[in-house]
Amino acid sequence: MFAKLKQRWQDTRTIMALSLDAEKRALQEGQQHPGAEHYTLAALDLPDGSARRVFARIGADPEAYRAALSNRHAAALGAIGLHDVAAGPDDGAATPPAKSTMLFDAQPSGQALMQSLPELQRRLPAPLCGAHVLLATESMAHSAAGRAFKAVGIDPQTLGSAAEAELRAAMPA
C-alpha cells in the first residue's frame, strides 16, 4: 500500500516536471501551449534518463532530433514569409517568448500524448518515465514530433520497440 502511494507521488512529480519543462520550451518558441514535440524534448532531459537510453538503443542522437525540430520550425516560418525569424531560436532576435497563462494547457498533440500515458503505464507498469513519453510519441507520425523522428531517420516502430524494452527492464519484479 505504501509503495503504491509512493509510486503515485513520484509519477505525479514526473508529470509536473515534464509539463513544466514542455511549457518552458513552448514559451521560448513563442507558443502559448506545448505540443508533443515539446514533451518529447522534455522527456529527453528527465533525470530518469530512460528516453536517452531508448535513443542509445537505436543509435539515435538526441541532439540531431533537437536540430531537426528547430530546422522544421525555421522552415515553417520561412514558408509563410517570416525569413528574419527563420534563423532559429538561438539567433537572439528570433520569436519573442510567449507569456505563460494562469491555467496550464497543451496543444492537441500534447493533450493526446498526456492522455495516452496512463494507458501505457497500465500496460507497461514501470514508474512513469521518459520512455513512456517516447512510446506515446511513436504513434504520432503526423505530429511535429513524428516528422522530426522521420527527418533524422528514426523508424517509429523501432523507437516503440526500444521504448517497450526499456520499460520492461524497469518494471518491478
Side-chain angles (χ1 to χ4, degrees):
M1 176 75 171
F2 180 71
K4 221 173 193 177
L5 285 173
K6 184 178 173 187
Q7 187 55 56
R8 285 186 184 203
W9 172 251
Q10 185 58 43
D11 291 347
T12 301
R13 291 178 61 132
T14 299
I15 289 171
M16 187 171 83
L18 188 65
S19 296
L20 289 174
D21 193 23
E23 182 183 45
K24 182 180 84 182
R25 292 169 191 275
L27 292 172
Q28 287 172 344
E29 289 181 3
Q31 300 177 34
Q32 283 283 308
H33 306 294
E37 67 275 21
H38 302 109
Y39 285 101
T40 304
L41 290 174
L44 287 168
D45 289 339
L46 280 175
D48 66 67
S50 63
R52 284 191 172 268
R53 286 192 299 276
V54 169
F55 266 51
R57 282 177 186 256
I58 61 173
D61 179 8
E63 299 313 314
Y65 181 74
R66 287 181 208 283
L69 277 173
S70 181
N71 292 340
R72 236 193 52 68
H73 183 72
L77 291 173
I80 61 172
L82 298 174
H83 299 287
D84 290 341
V85 295
D90 295 333
D91 66 357
T95 307
K99 294 188 187 242
S100 179
T101 57
M102 292 293 285
L103 296 175
F104 183 83
D105 199 0
Q107 295 175 19
S109 66
Q111 292 175 16
L113 184 144
M114 293 302 286
Q115 290 169 358
S116 70
L117 291 179
E119 177 56 33
L120 290 172
Q121 196 177 22
R122 266 190 292 279
R123 188 165 59 89
L124 297 161
L128 187 64
C129 62
H132 283 103
V133 174
L134 292 182
L135 190 57
T137 308
E138 66 94 15
S139 65
M140 306 173 96
H142 300 293
S143 69
R147 289 191 300 267
F149 285 139
K150 186 177 179 182
V152 294
I154 296 174
D155 175 57
Q157 288 184 330
T158 303
L159 178 70
S161 295
E164 281 198 32
E166 179 69 25
L167 290 167
R168 290 188 194 288
M171 286 172 45

